[in-house]
């Protein structure tokens, strides 16, 4: 009798091969690689339409995002080379059509699309991206800054456009008709891959030119392109172009497309022109109109000058008629001058007469007799003074027997016995000479040198 539990597949602690089972178990990596080959073989080329979500560009330049619709989500990756060729800047919420191939990332066992090309899903998506960029840049203040005034007659105009299109020919032709001006053309691509980068570089290049460099710096820049669809004009909606135009220190005219076309470059520029031809008309005045205006101003100036001259002549003639005659004006002054001349003559005569009287009186005072009397009086006074001087002269007393005693050393006159005793050595001045003497100490007597002792009475 068989065991009823033999047909039951009971769990085992250790995996063992089963009867009739010759497949070995697969590793996770082997399964992932089989699925990868199967998916890539089946979906080697796909086009997906969806909305961008979680857009991120890594430091390596690769782009990672997700595409979603109402039912599902799929991860996507775009390598750096393909991302650099994108004609627009992807943003979350933009509906696109992505072309590439499905693959599985073995590290996470997730399937994803490797995007080789990505386009906007119709003009509606393009307009949505346009409005999103416009709102973002407006919030940053790029469109609301103070606009620069255009120069009245720029000497150099820089034009950023394609060198082979009809736009540059229209601009040059219009400038030549209105006001011939030097034009510097910076050739760029205006459509396709790399167009936005070239336009932005051209605007920055004009702005960076030095004022005194070998190539003159433009006074005005025109960014121009002919008409087209919004896709054709999209390069002028790119953020690098808008930022370069807004930051340019040179006044800029945006002339992109036709009158009904609008780009973000128009909002950032200082002036928007409906067409490139209109931009040339706005850039310069009409030389013929200026010449006519200058001639009109010159004629008006001449008329004004002539009118002032005529009015001045009329006022002068009117004043001449009311002015008095010359004789009437000068007659009183002439009479006054004659009167003053006569008074001057009389005054001079009177002064001369007075001066002559003074001179006569002075001459009378200088007669010889008068001078002699004065000299005699002065002579008598001098003789009296001389006699008085002789009378008081002490030397004259010596002739009468008096002696003048003086100190021998100092020569001072001795007037008292105390001074004589103090001096010791004396000099006795007689009328006929001097004698030296000395005073004996204690006795108060004076003795002449080399002579008999004599009493010293003074």
């Amino acid at each position: 009798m068989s065991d009823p539990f033999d047909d039951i597949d009971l769990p085992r602690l250790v995996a063992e091969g089963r009867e009739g089972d010759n497949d070995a178990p697969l590793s996770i990596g082997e399964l992932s690689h089989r699925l990868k080959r199967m998916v890539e073989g089946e979906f080697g080329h796909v086009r997906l339409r969806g909305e961008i979500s979680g857009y991120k560009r890594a430091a390596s330049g690769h782009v990672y995002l997700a595409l979603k619709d109402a039912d599902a989500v799929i991860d996507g990756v775009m390598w750096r080379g393909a991302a650099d060729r994108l004609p627009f800047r992807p943003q979350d919420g933009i509906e696109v059509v992505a072309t590439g191939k499905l693959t599985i990332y073995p590290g996470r066992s997730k399937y994803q699309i490797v995007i080789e090309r990505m386009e906007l899903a119709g003009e509606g998506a393009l307009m949505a991206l346009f409005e999103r960029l416009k709102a973002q840049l407006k919030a940053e203040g790029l469109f609301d800054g103070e606009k620069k005034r255009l120069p009245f007659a720029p000497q150099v105009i820089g034009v950023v456009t394609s060198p082979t299109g009809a736009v540059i020919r229209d601009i040059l032709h219009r400038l030549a008709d209105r006001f011939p001006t030097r034009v510097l053309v910076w050739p760029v691509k205006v459509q396709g891959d790399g167009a936005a980068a070239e336009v932005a570089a051209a605007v920055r290049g004009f702005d960076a030119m030095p004022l005194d460099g070998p190539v003159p710096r433009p006074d005005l820049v025109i960014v121009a392109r002919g008409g087209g669809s919004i896709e054709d004009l999209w390069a002028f909606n790119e953020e690098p172009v808008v930022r370069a135009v807004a930051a340019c220190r040179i006044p800029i005219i945006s002339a992109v497309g036709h009158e009904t076309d609008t780009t973000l470059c128009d909002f950032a520029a200082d002036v928007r022109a409906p067409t490139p031809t209109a931009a040339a008309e706005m850039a310069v005045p009409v030389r013929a109109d200026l010449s006519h205006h200058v001639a009109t101003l010159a004629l008006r100036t001449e008329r004004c000058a002539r009118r002032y001259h005529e009015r001045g002549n009329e006022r002068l003639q009117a004043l001449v008629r009311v002015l008095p005659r010359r004789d009437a004006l000068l007659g009183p002054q002439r009479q006054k001058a004659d009167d003053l001349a006569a008074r001057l003559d009389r005054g001079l005569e009177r002064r001369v007469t007075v001066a002559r009287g003074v001179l006569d009186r002075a001459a009378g005072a200088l007669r010889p007799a008068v001078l002699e009397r004065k000299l005699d009086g002065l002579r008598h006074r001098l003789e009296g003074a001389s006699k008085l001087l002789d009378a008081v002269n002490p030397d004259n007393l010596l002739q009468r027997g008096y002696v003048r005693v003086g100190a021998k050393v100092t020569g001072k006159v001795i007037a008292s016995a105390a001074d004589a005793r103090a001096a010791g050595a004396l000099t006795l001045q007689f009328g006929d000479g001097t004698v030296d003497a000395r005073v004996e100490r204690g006795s108060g007597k004076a003795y002449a040198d080399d002579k008999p002792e004599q009493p010293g009475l003074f």
Side-chain angles (χ1 to χ4, degrees), residues 91 93-95 123-133 234:
Q91 293 183 1
I94 301 300
E95 188 175 11
E123 289 192 2
L126 199 60
M127 288 303 300
L129 179 59
F130 176 86
E131 294 298 333
R132 189 183 297 269
L133 282 173
W234 189 254

Side-chain angles (χ1 to χ4, degrees), residues 10 24 27 35-36 41 53 57 82 97 100 113 153 176 194 244 251-252 279 303 362 366 389 418 450:
L10 296 175
S27 67
L35 290 174
K36 177 180 174 66
S53 176
R57 185 158 188 167
V97 174
I113 178 172
I252 292 184
R303 289 176 179 174
L366 293 176
L389 182 61
D450 299 332

Side-chain angles (χ1 to χ4, degrees), residues 332-343:
Q333 306 303 326
R334 289 173 178 173
Q335 185 176 359
K336 185 176 181 180
D338 294 339
D339 185 26
L340 292 175
R343 292 173 61 186

Side-chain angles (χ1 to χ4, degrees), residues 31 52 85 100 104 114 120 130 135 142 160 171 193 248 255 295 339 346 350 356 372 430:
L31 178 61
I52 296 177
R85 294 193 298 270
I104 290 181
V114 178
L120 293 171
F130 176 86
L142 264 66
V160 179
I171 291 177
D193 295 340
C248 185
D339 185 26
R346 293 193 296 271
R350 185 164 57 252
R356 184 178 291 112
E372 288 294 338
F430 294 93

